[in-house]
Amino acid sequence: MAQFDYDLVVIGGGSGGVRAARIAARHGARVLLAEEKKLGGTCVNVGCVPKKLLVYASHYSEHFEDAAGFGWTVGASHFDWRALIMAKNAEIERLNDAYRRTLVEAGVEIVGARATLVDAHTVEVEGKRVRASTVLIAVGGWPVMPKIPGIEHAISSNETFFLERLPARVAIVGGGYIACEFAGIFHGMGSHVIQLYRGPLFLRGFDLDVRRHLAEEMRRKRIDLRFDVEIARIEKTGFGLHATLTTGDAIEVDEILYATGRAPHTKNLGLEAVGVALDEKGAIRVDEYSRTNVESVYAVGDVTDRINLTPVAIHEGHAFADTVFGKHPTKPDHAGVPAAVFSQPEIACVGLSEETARKRLGTVDVYRANFRAMKHTLSGRGERTLMKLVVERASDRVVGVHMVGENAAEIVQGLAVALKAGATKRDFDRTLGIHPTSAEEFVTMRTKAPEPAPAPERSAAE
Ligand SMILES: Cc1cc2nc3c(=O)[nH]c(=O)nc-3n(C[C@H](O)[C@H](O)[C@H](O)COP(=O)(O)OP(=O)(O)OC[C@H]3O[C@@H](n4cnc5c(N)ncnc54)[C@H](O)[C@@H]3O)c2cc1C
């Protein structure tokens, strides 16, 4: 090891890189971590954390309205975007510091600069070359914006978190979870929201009932959802932004937010020179231990485009450190990863959608509950909750759990444990509910849903 300055150099101080650096150091490795922006990466600075804080803020408008049904008189309310953004920024600075402290306490050396790969063991940072026996690339992803005329007037999720003012009218382009979440955030804060998606229905890959249910509930809130449409061109006018749509219609808004996907952040990193293999999307190809085709170079997190979520990046980073420095080879486990969409109402799921289960497993039984939560009997809100279990008929194993409704993520997290443990429908049936909750529906569903109607035709863009 003496020929190397470090045992490990980590490029990228986000979810995956920070965990890998800390655990490797705990295993006794000499570790240098390079982060060009802020510690904590996407999740802490422009992802999960600020997003969830904005989601919390946006819920209050409905809480104030719902309070009347319970006897409360709430005075005139006013929302201050700048106050929220300042509070959010302060919390994120606190987290940046906490990340730094944790790394320093673990013995990790931190350099606040961009790093690039020079050869299989050499990294260049701040004009200096350092050599390491192992290099970990954990540089994450970056928003992709389409090349249409006027795109310079639009923003990505990165800029949204730092807007100077709340836009009165906003168009959100995209059909993924980030687009749906921002539609709910801006609507809750009082903006007029138009969400545009090029396919026939958003949230491709999620259960079809879930996708339809969310669309219905968002429309009930008067979010203007438009499918099978894109923006062709954007012009800045004296009144805001004028967007011409592919249908020939036009919309006038104050901001246009593109949430149309993220690409692995692999450009100009020196990967080509070293011969690290990428896939067609630019993601780093890795084996089941997160090792690239270059023996000393590993990669974890969004840059490998496996499952692009924070807990997965953390898990991959930890497994890498245990494998390389902990004498404990560990393959990250990508099965049964639960996920949420913090849309309004919220979605959470674990396991297979009904469509995938039918394709993969053949005969499945489906149990579905669609009801108005108790809270809304008095709030007067028409919102409905959807819960769904997908069961493999041959084994009775529950292979999919899906929910759209309040606290879906909190509820489904617990059920993810049951699925991981291989729970059967019988196990769900013999579990008593907690009453009165929405969650108890998951253990009281007894009636199989009829076989599904044929799925609608889908366009290639979906
Ligand atoms: C708006 C939004 C909301 C999200 N919400 C959720 C959610 O609710 N739940 C969830 O699980 N996931 C969510 N995600 C996804 C989650 O943020 C990512 O999956 C996670 O951050 C990936 O971690 P990572 O370590 O791979 O990369 P990142 O966290 O992106 O970290 C990569 C780091 O590398 C740094 N870097 C890049 N190149 C270099 C270089 N050459 N030298 C030095 N440093 C470099 C970057 O500055 C960055 O800090 C969200 C993402 C977005 C954009």
mmCIF file of all heavy atoms in Angstrom, residues 354-394:
data_model
loop_
_atom_site.group_PDB
_atom_site.id
_atom_site.type_symbol
_atom_site.label_atom_id
_atom_site.label_comp_id
_atom_site.label_asym_id
_atom_site.label_seq_id
_atom_site.Cartn_x
_atom_site.Cartn_y
_atom_site.Cartn_z
ATOM 1 N N GLU A 354 -49.480 -4.959 -10.526
ATOM 2 C CA GLU A 354 -50.350 -6.048 -10.991
ATOM 3 C C GLU A 354 -49.921 -6.490 -12.395
ATOM 4 O O GLU A 354 -49.838 -7.696 -12.677
ATOM 5 C CB GLU A 354 -51.808 -5.563 -11.007
ATOM 6 C CG GLU A 354 -52.751 -6.634 -11.481
ATOM 7 C CD GLU A 354 -54.207 -6.166 -11.563
ATOM 8 O OE1 GLU A 354 -54.555 -5.137 -10.935
ATOM 9 O OE2 GLU A 354 -54.993 -6.821 -12.271
ATOM 10 N N GLU A 355 -49.591 -5.516 -13.254
ATOM 11 C CA GLU A 355 -49.249 -5.845 -14.644
ATOM 12 C C GLU A 355 -47.978 -6.702 -14.699
ATOM 13 O O GLU A 355 -47.925 -7.716 -15.394
ATOM 14 C CB GLU A 355 -49.035 -4.560 -15.466
ATOM 15 C CG GLU A 355 -50.263 -3.668 -15.609
ATOM 16 C CD GLU A 355 -50.650 -2.916 -14.326
ATOM 17 O OE1 GLU A 355 -49.770 -2.357 -13.633
ATOM 18 O OE2 GLU A 355 -51.848 -2.918 -13.999
ATOM 19 N N THR A 356 -46.954 -6.295 -13.935
ATOM 20 C CA THR A 356 -45.692 -7.057 -13.951
ATOM 21 C C THR A 356 -45.897 -8.433 -13.333
ATOM 22 O O THR A 356 -45.368 -9.441 -13.815
ATOM 23 C CB THR A 356 -44.602 -6.279 -13.183
ATOM 24 O OG1 THR A 356 -44.552 -4.965 -13.705
ATOM 25 C CG2 THR A 356 -43.241 -6.918 -13.319
ATOM 26 N N ALA A 357 -46.667 -8.486 -12.252
ATOM 27 C CA ALA A 357 -46.891 -9.774 -11.587
ATOM 28 C C ALA A 357 -47.593 -10.735 -12.549
ATOM 29 O O ALA A 357 -47.236 -11.914 -12.624
ATOM 30 C CB ALA A 357 -47.722 -9.565 -10.322
ATOM 31 N N ARG A 358 -48.586 -10.238 -13.289
ATOM 32 C CA ARG A 358 -49.285 -11.127 -14.240
ATOM 33 C C ARG A 358 -48.325 -11.640 -15.299
ATOM 34 O O ARG A 358 -48.367 -12.796 -15.682
ATOM 35 C CB ARG A 358 -50.459 -10.389 -14.906
ATOM 36 C CG ARG A 358 -51.645 -10.220 -13.985
ATOM 37 C CD ARG A 358 -52.897 -9.745 -14.718
ATOM 38 N NE ARG A 358 -53.896 -9.333 -13.746
ATOM 39 C CZ ARG A 358 -54.631 -10.176 -13.016
ATOM 40 N NH1 ARG A 358 -54.499 -11.475 -13.170
ATOM 41 N NH2 ARG A 358 -55.505 -9.710 -12.140
ATOM 42 N N LYS A 359 -47.440 -10.744 -15.765
ATOM 43 C CA LYS A 359 -46.488 -11.150 -16.813
ATOM 44 C C LYS A 359 -45.484 -12.169 -16.275
ATOM 45 O O LYS A 359 -45.189 -13.164 -16.903
ATOM 46 C CB LYS A 359 -45.724 -9.915 -17.307
ATOM 47 C CG LYS A 359 -46.255 -9.409 -18.648
ATOM 48 C CD LYS A 359 -45.365 -8.310 -19.195
ATOM 49 C CE LYS A 359 -46.213 -7.098 -19.532
ATOM 50 N NZ LYS A 359 -45.688 -5.828 -19.144
ATOM 51 N N ARG A 360 -44.957 -11.900 -15.062
ATOM 52 C CA ARG A 360 -43.871 -12.739 -14.547
ATOM 53 C C ARG A 360 -44.356 -14.018 -13.881
ATOM 54 O O ARG A 360 -43.692 -15.038 -13.934
ATOM 55 C CB ARG A 360 -43.084 -11.956 -13.491
ATOM 56 C CG ARG A 360 -42.090 -11.041 -14.115
ATOM 57 C CD ARG A 360 -41.032 -10.674 -13.096
ATOM 58 N NE ARG A 360 -40.511 -9.377 -13.430
ATOM 59 C CZ ARG A 360 -39.982 -8.542 -12.571
ATOM 60 N NH1 ARG A 360 -39.894 -8.879 -11.301
ATOM 61 N NH2 ARG A 360 -39.528 -7.381 -12.957
ATOM 62 N N LEU A 361 -45.487 -13.918 -13.179
ATOM 63 C CA LEU A 361 -45.878 -15.030 -12.318
ATOM 64 C C LEU A 361 -47.083 -15.800 -12.823
ATOM 65 O O LEU A 361 -47.451 -16.815 -12.244
ATOM 66 C CB LEU A 361 -46.188 -14.508 -10.900
ATOM 67 C CG LEU A 361 -45.116 -13.639 -10.232
ATOM 68 C CD1 LEU A 361 -45.614 -13.076 -8.921
ATOM 69 C CD2 LEU A 361 -43.848 -14.459 -9.989
ATOM 70 N N GLY A 362 -47.736 -15.308 -13.854
ATOM 71 C CA GLY A 362 -48.918 -16.001 -14.353
ATOM 72 C C GLY A 362 -50.140 -15.602 -13.561
ATOM 73 O O GLY A 362 -50.535 -14.443 -13.565
ATOM 74 N N THR A 363 -50.690 -16.535 -12.789
ATOM 75 C CA THR A 363 -51.962 -16.250 -12.125
ATOM 76 C C THR A 363 -51.740 -15.521 -10.804
ATOM 77 O O THR A 363 -51.038 -16.014 -9.919
ATOM 78 C CB THR A 363 -52.709 -17.564 -11.844
ATOM 79 O OG1 THR A 363 -52.600 -18.356 -13.010
ATOM 80 C CG2 THR A 363 -54.160 -17.307 -11.522
ATOM 81 N N VAL A 364 -52.375 -14.367 -10.697
ATOM 82 C CA VAL A 364 -52.289 -13.619 -9.434
ATOM 83 C C VAL A 364 -53.697 -13.212 -9.004
ATOM 84 O O VAL A 364 -54.585 -13.073 -9.840
ATOM 85 C CB VAL A 364 -51.409 -12.344 -9.555
ATOM 86 C CG1 VAL A 364 -49.973 -12.678 -9.875
ATOM 87 C CG2 VAL A 364 -51.965 -11.362 -10.557
ATOM 88 N N ASP A 365 -53.865 -13.055 -7.711
ATOM 89 C CA ASP A 365 -55.119 -12.518 -7.180
ATOM 90 C C ASP A 365 -54.870 -11.097 -6.730
ATOM 91 O O ASP A 365 -53.783 -10.769 -6.232
ATOM 92 C CB ASP A 365 -55.596 -13.355 -5.977
ATOM 93 C CG ASP A 365 -56.058 -14.728 -6.423
ATOM 94 O OD1 ASP A 365 -56.689 -14.824 -7.494
ATOM 95 O OD2 ASP A 365 -55.759 -15.713 -5.713
ATOM 96 N N VAL A 366 -55.905 -10.265 -6.908
ATOM 97 C CA VAL A 366 -55.766 -8.855 -6.554
ATOM 98 C C VAL A 366 -56.857 -8.489 -5.549
ATOM 99 O O VAL A 366 -58.006 -8.884 -5.702
ATOM 100 C CB VAL A 366 -55.883 -7.990 -7.832
ATOM 101 C CG1 VAL A 366 -55.988 -6.518 -7.482
ATOM 102 C CG2 VAL A 366 -54.680 -8.234 -8.737
ATOM 103 N N TYR A 367 -56.460 -7.796 -4.515
ATOM 104 C CA TYR A 367 -57.401 -7.298 -3.507
ATOM 105 C C TYR A 367 -57.297 -5.789 -3.521
ATOM 106 O O TYR A 367 -56.187 -5.242 -3.484
ATOM 107 C CB TYR A 367 -57.042 -7.844 -2.116
ATOM 108 C CG TYR A 367 -57.124 -9.353 -2.057
ATOM 109 C CD1 TYR A 367 -56.075 -10.135 -2.529
ATOM 110 C CD2 TYR A 367 -58.257 -9.982 -1.555
ATOM 111 C CE1 TYR A 367 -56.157 -11.517 -2.504
ATOM 112 C CE2 TYR A 367 -58.341 -11.369 -1.524
ATOM 113 C CZ TYR A 367 -57.287 -12.127 -1.995
ATOM 114 O OH TYR A 367 -57.377 -13.493 -1.970
ATOM 115 N N ARG A 368 -58.456 -5.143 -3.599
ATOM 116 C CA ARG A 368 -58.420 -3.688 -3.782
ATOM 117 C C ARG A 368 -59.434 -3.021 -2.858
ATOM 118 O O ARG A 368 -60.556 -3.521 -2.709
ATOM 119 C CB ARG A 368 -58.818 -3.406 -5.242
ATOM 120 C CG ARG A 368 -58.345 -2.084 -5.777
ATOM 121 C CD ARG A 368 -58.865 -1.851 -7.191
ATOM 122 N NE ARG A 368 -58.135 -2.544 -8.229
ATOM 123 C CZ ARG A 368 -58.657 -3.435 -9.051
ATOM 124 N NH1 ARG A 368 -59.927 -3.778 -8.963
ATOM 125 N NH2 ARG A 368 -57.928 -4.014 -9.985
ATOM 126 N N ALA A 369 -59.028 -1.925 -2.232
ATOM 127 C CA ALA A 369 -59.982 -1.134 -1.429
ATOM 128 C C ALA A 369 -59.896 0.305 -1.916
ATOM 129 O O ALA A 369 -58.788 0.826 -2.125
ATOM 130 C CB ALA A 369 -59.612 -1.214 0.043
ATOM 131 N N ASN A 370 -61.054 0.909 -2.120
ATOM 132 C CA ASN A 370 -61.108 2.296 -2.601
ATOM 133 C C ASN A 370 -62.146 2.986 -1.732
ATOM 134 O O ASN A 370 -63.324 2.654 -1.790
ATOM 135 C CB ASN A 370 -61.520 2.280 -4.085
ATOM 136 C CG ASN A 370 -61.506 3.671 -4.691
ATOM 137 O OD1 ASN A 370 -61.805 4.663 -4.014
ATOM 138 N ND2 ASN A 370 -61.179 3.755 -5.963
ATOM 139 N N PHE A 371 -61.704 3.871 -0.872
ATOM 140 C CA PHE A 371 -62.624 4.420 0.140
ATOM 141 C C PHE A 371 -62.262 5.857 0.499
ATOM 142 O O PHE A 371 -61.170 6.344 0.166
ATOM 143 C CB PHE A 371 -62.583 3.547 1.408
ATOM 144 C CG PHE A 371 -61.202 3.449 2.020
ATOM 145 C CD1 PHE A 371 -60.836 4.287 3.062
ATOM 146 C CD2 PHE A 371 -60.259 2.537 1.544
ATOM 147 C CE1 PHE A 371 -59.559 4.223 3.620
ATOM 148 C CE2 PHE A 371 -58.971 2.464 2.093
ATOM 149 C CZ PHE A 371 -58.624 3.307 3.134
ATOM 150 N N ARG A 372 -63.205 6.508 1.179
ATOM 151 C CA ARG A 372 -62.957 7.865 1.663
ATOM 152 C C ARG A 372 -62.468 7.741 3.105
ATOM 153 O O ARG A 372 -63.159 7.120 3.933
ATOM 154 C CB ARG A 372 -64.290 8.612 1.608
ATOM 155 C CG ARG A 372 -64.201 10.083 1.720
ATOM 156 C CD ARG A 372 -65.584 10.643 1.483
ATOM 157 N NE ARG A 372 -65.606 12.071 1.618
ATOM 158 C CZ ARG A 372 -66.685 12.753 1.948
ATOM 159 N NH1 ARG A 372 -67.833 12.130 2.166
ATOM 160 N NH2 ARG A 372 -66.630 14.063 2.050
ATOM 161 N N ALA A 373 -61.285 8.261 3.385
ATOM 162 C CA ALA A 373 -60.721 8.109 4.733
ATOM 163 C C ALA A 373 -61.610 8.808 5.754
ATOM 164 O O ALA A 373 -62.274 9.802 5.442
ATOM 165 C CB ALA A 373 -59.313 8.698 4.772
ATOM 166 N N MET A 374 -61.623 8.272 6.977
ATOM 167 C CA MET A 374 -62.525 8.775 8.028
ATOM 168 C C MET A 374 -62.417 10.292 8.202
ATOM 169 O O MET A 374 -63.411 10.988 8.353
ATOM 170 C CB MET A 374 -62.199 8.084 9.352
ATOM 171 C CG MET A 374 -63.160 8.441 10.450
ATOM 172 S SD MET A 374 -62.473 8.064 12.040
ATOM 173 C CE MET A 374 -63.326 6.596 12.453
ATOM 174 N N LYS A 375 -61.179 10.797 8.118
ATOM 175 C CA LYS A 375 -60.963 12.235 8.316
ATOM 176 C C LYS A 375 -61.847 13.054 7.371
ATOM 177 O O LYS A 375 -62.347 14.125 7.738
ATOM 178 C CB LYS A 375 -59.486 12.543 8.068
ATOM 179 C CG LYS A 375 -59.109 13.982 8.164
ATOM 180 C CD LYS A 375 -57.610 14.124 7.947
ATOM 181 C CE LYS A 375 -57.258 15.554 7.605
ATOM 182 N NZ LYS A 375 -55.879 15.654 7.140
ATOM 183 N N HIS A 376 -62.036 12.544 6.169
ATOM 184 C CA HIS A 376 -62.751 13.347 5.175
ATOM 185 C C HIS A 376 -64.272 13.258 5.302
ATOM 186 O O HIS A 376 -64.988 13.942 4.586
ATOM 187 C CB HIS A 376 -62.267 12.987 3.774
ATOM 188 C CG HIS A 376 -60.821 13.347 3.585
ATOM 189 N ND1 HIS A 376 -60.325 14.579 3.956
ATOM 190 C CD2 HIS A 376 -59.756 12.631 3.136
ATOM 191 C CE1 HIS A 376 -59.023 14.615 3.725
ATOM 192 N NE2 HIS A 376 -58.657 13.442 3.233
ATOM 193 N N THR A 377 -64.776 12.411 6.232
ATOM 194 C CA THR A 377 -66.219 12.434 6.475
ATOM 195 C C THR A 377 -66.586 13.789 7.079
ATOM 196 O O THR A 377 -67.643 14.329 6.809
ATOM 197 C CB THR A 377 -66.654 11.301 7.427
ATOM 198 O OG1 THR A 377 -65.904 11.433 8.643
ATOM 199 C CG2 THR A 377 -66.417 9.936 6.803
ATOM 200 N N LEU A 378 -65.707 14.350 7.910
ATOM 201 C CA LEU A 378 -65.989 15.671 8.495
ATOM 202 C C LEU A 378 -65.330 16.813 7.719
ATOM 203 O O LEU A 378 -65.845 17.920 7.677
ATOM 204 C CB LEU A 378 -65.548 15.728 9.957
ATOM 205 C CG LEU A 378 -66.310 14.859 10.958
ATOM 206 C CD1 LEU A 378 -66.093 15.380 12.385
ATOM 207 C CD2 LEU A 378 -67.800 14.822 10.686
ATOM 208 N N SER A 379 -64.168 16.544 7.114
ATOM 209 C CA SER A 379 -63.514 17.657 6.390
ATOM 210 C C SER A 379 -64.325 18.030 5.155
ATOM 211 O O SER A 379 -64.260 19.159 4.674
ATOM 212 C CB SER A 379 -62.100 17.255 5.957
ATOM 213 O OG SER A 379 -62.153 16.388 4.839
ATOM 214 N N GLY A 380 -65.087 17.045 4.646
ATOM 215 C CA GLY A 380 -65.894 17.316 3.450
ATOM 216 C C GLY A 380 -65.098 17.142 2.159
ATOM 217 O O GLY A 380 -65.644 17.256 1.065
ATOM 218 N N ARG A 381 -63.833 16.833 2.279
ATOM 219 C CA ARG A 381 -63.007 16.666 1.073
ATOM 220 C C ARG A 381 -63.385 15.359 0.377
ATOM 221 O O ARG A 381 -63.603 14.340 1.021
ATOM 222 C CB ARG A 381 -61.538 16.650 1.506
ATOM 223 C CG ARG A 381 -60.544 16.784 0.376
ATOM 224 C CD ARG A 381 -59.145 17.016 0.907
ATOM 225 N NE ARG A 381 -59.027 18.329 1.541
ATOM 226 C CZ ARG A 381 -58.981 19.489 0.886
ATOM 227 N NH1 ARG A 381 -59.029 19.495 -0.434
ATOM 228 N NH2 ARG A 381 -58.885 20.623 1.537
ATOM 229 N N GLY A 382 -63.443 15.391 -0.936
ATOM 230 C CA GLY A 382 -63.877 14.207 -1.685
ATOM 231 C C GLY A 382 -62.786 13.175 -1.927
ATOM 232 O O GLY A 382 -63.021 12.137 -2.530
ATOM 233 N N GLU A 383 -61.571 13.471 -1.446
ATOM 234 C CA GLU A 383 -60.417 12.618 -1.761
ATOM 235 C C GLU A 383 -60.639 11.162 -1.353
ATOM 236 O O GLU A 383 -61.137 10.879 -0.278
ATOM 237 C CB GLU A 383 -59.197 13.179 -1.018
ATOM 238 C CG GLU A 383 -57.916 12.463 -1.335
ATOM 239 C CD GLU A 383 -56.726 13.212 -0.769
ATOM 240 O OE1 GLU A 383 -56.569 14.424 -1.048
ATOM 241 O OE2 GLU A 383 -55.956 12.589 -0.012
ATOM 242 N N ARG A 384 -60.228 10.242 -2.238
ATOM 243 C CA ARG A 384 -60.372 8.820 -1.955
ATOM 244 C C ARG A 384 -58.998 8.162 -1.836
ATOM 245 O O ARG A 384 -58.031 8.604 -2.453
ATOM 246 C CB ARG A 384 -61.198 8.140 -3.046
ATOM 247 C CG ARG A 384 -62.616 8.697 -3.132
ATOM 248 C CD ARG A 384 -63.486 7.884 -4.048
ATOM 249 N NE ARG A 384 -63.780 6.550 -3.543
ATOM 250 C CZ ARG A 384 -64.695 6.282 -2.626
ATOM 251 N NH1 ARG A 384 -65.416 7.260 -2.087
ATOM 252 N NH2 ARG A 384 -64.917 5.044 -2.244
ATOM 253 N N THR A 385 -58.952 7.120 -1.027
ATOM 254 C CA THR A 385 -57.714 6.363 -0.805
ATOM 255 C C THR A 385 -57.809 5.047 -1.575
ATOM 256 O O THR A 385 -58.875 4.431 -1.612
ATOM 257 C CB THR A 385 -57.566 6.078 0.712
ATOM 258 O OG1 THR A 385 -57.408 7.325 1.378
ATOM 259 C CG2 THR A 385 -56.374 5.182 1.017
ATOM 260 N N LEU A 386 -56.686 4.649 -2.167
ATOM 261 C CA LEU A 386 -56.639 3.357 -2.866
ATOM 262 C C LEU A 386 -55.606 2.469 -2.180
ATOM 263 O O LEU A 386 -54.487 2.918 -1.897
ATOM 264 C CB LEU A 386 -56.223 3.565 -4.332
ATOM 265 C CG LEU A 386 -55.981 2.278 -5.121
ATOM 266 C CD1 LEU A 386 -57.295 1.600 -5.503
ATOM 267 C CD2 LEU A 386 -55.176 2.549 -6.395
ATOM 268 N N MET A 387 -55.998 1.228 -1.923
ATOM 269 C CA MET A 387 -55.041 0.252 -1.399
ATOM 270 C C MET A 387 -55.179 -1.014 -2.200
ATOM 271 O O MET A 387 -56.291 -1.387 -2.573
ATOM 272 C CB MET A 387 -55.342 -0.044 0.066
ATOM 273 C CG MET A 387 -54.964 1.069 0.979
ATOM 274 S SD MET A 387 -55.402 0.576 2.635
ATOM 275 C CE MET A 387 -54.642 1.884 3.539
ATOM 276 N N LYS A 388 -54.053 -1.678 -2.393
ATOM 277 C CA LYS A 388 -54.096 -2.825 -3.291
ATOM 278 C C LYS A 388 -53.039 -3.848 -2.899
ATOM 279 O O LYS A 388 -51.894 -3.490 -2.605
ATOM 280 C CB LYS A 388 -53.819 -2.286 -4.697
ATOM 281 C CG LYS A 388 -53.930 -3.292 -5.785
ATOM 282 C CD LYS A 388 -53.906 -2.595 -7.134
ATOM 283 C CE LYS A 388 -53.817 -3.627 -8.235
ATOM 284 N NZ LYS A 388 -53.787 -3.029 -9.564
ATOM 285 N N LEU A 389 -53.439 -5.116 -2.873
ATOM 286 C CA LEU A 389 -52.489 -6.209 -2.643
ATOM 287 C C LEU A 389 -52.471 -7.094 -3.880
ATOM 288 O O LEU A 389 -53.534 -7.405 -4.425
ATOM 289 C CB LEU A 389 -52.921 -7.067 -1.449
ATOM 290 C CG LEU A 389 -52.869 -6.443 -0.061
ATOM 291 C CD1 LEU A 389 -53.379 -7.446 0.973
ATOM 292 C CD2 LEU A 389 -51.449 -6.007 0.283
ATOM 293 N N VAL A 390 -51.289 -7.494 -4.308
ATOM 294 C CA VAL A 390 -51.150 -8.416 -5.425
ATOM 295 C C VAL A 390 -50.558 -9.703 -4.850
ATOM 296 O O VAL A 390 -49.519 -9.673 -4.177
ATOM 297 C CB VAL A 390 -50.222 -7.838 -6.519
ATOM 298 C CG1 VAL A 390 -50.164 -8.762 -7.722
ATOM 299 C CG2 VAL A 390 -50.686 -6.438 -6.942
ATOM 300 N N VAL A 391 -51.241 -10.826 -5.081
ATOM 301 C CA VAL A 391 -50.875 -12.088 -4.439
ATOM 302 C C VAL A 391 -50.627 -13.158 -5.506
ATOM 303 O O VAL A 391 -51.459 -13.333 -6.414
ATOM 304 C CB VAL A 391 -52.018 -12.549 -3.496
ATOM 305 C CG1 VAL A 391 -51.675 -13.873 -2.824
ATOM 306 C CG2 VAL A 391 -52.323 -11.481 -2.461
ATOM 307 N N GLU A 392 -49.504 -13.856 -5.387
ATOM 308 C CA GLU A 392 -49.236 -14.964 -6.308
ATOM 309 C C GLU A 392 -50.143 -16.138 -5.891
ATOM 310 O O GLU A 392 -50.029 -16.626 -4.762
ATOM 311 C CB GLU A 392 -47.761 -15.368 -6.205
ATOM 312 C CG GLU A 392 -47.377 -16.432 -7.191
ATOM 313 C CD GLU A 392 -45.921 -16.887 -7.013
ATOM 314 O OE1 GLU A 392 -45.419 -16.892 -5.873
ATOM 315 O OE2 GLU A 392 -45.312 -17.237 -8.029
ATOM 316 N N ARG A 393 -51.021 -16.565 -6.807
ATOM 317 C CA ARG A 393 -52.020 -17.554 -6.393
ATOM 318 C C ARG A 393 -51.366 -18.880 -5.975
ATOM 319 O O ARG A 393 -51.745 -19.483 -4.962
ATOM 320 C CB ARG A 393 -53.039 -17.801 -7.512
ATOM 321 C CG ARG A 393 -54.227 -18.601 -7.006
ATOM 322 C CD ARG A 393 -55.294 -18.794 -8.048
ATOM 323 N NE ARG A 393 -55.980 -17.561 -8.396
ATOM 324 C CZ ARG A 393 -56.814 -17.457 -9.439
ATOM 325 N NH1 ARG A 393 -57.043 -18.508 -10.216
ATOM 326 N NH2 ARG A 393 -57.425 -16.325 -9.708
ATOM 327 N N ALA A 394 -50.365 -19.336 -6.719
ATOM 328 C CA ALA A 394 -49.776 -20.652 -6.448
ATOM 329 C C ALA A 394 -49.170 -20.737 -5.048
ATOM 330 O O ALA A 394 -49.310 -21.742 -4.356
ATOM 331 C CB ALA A 394 -48.720 -20.954 -7.499
#
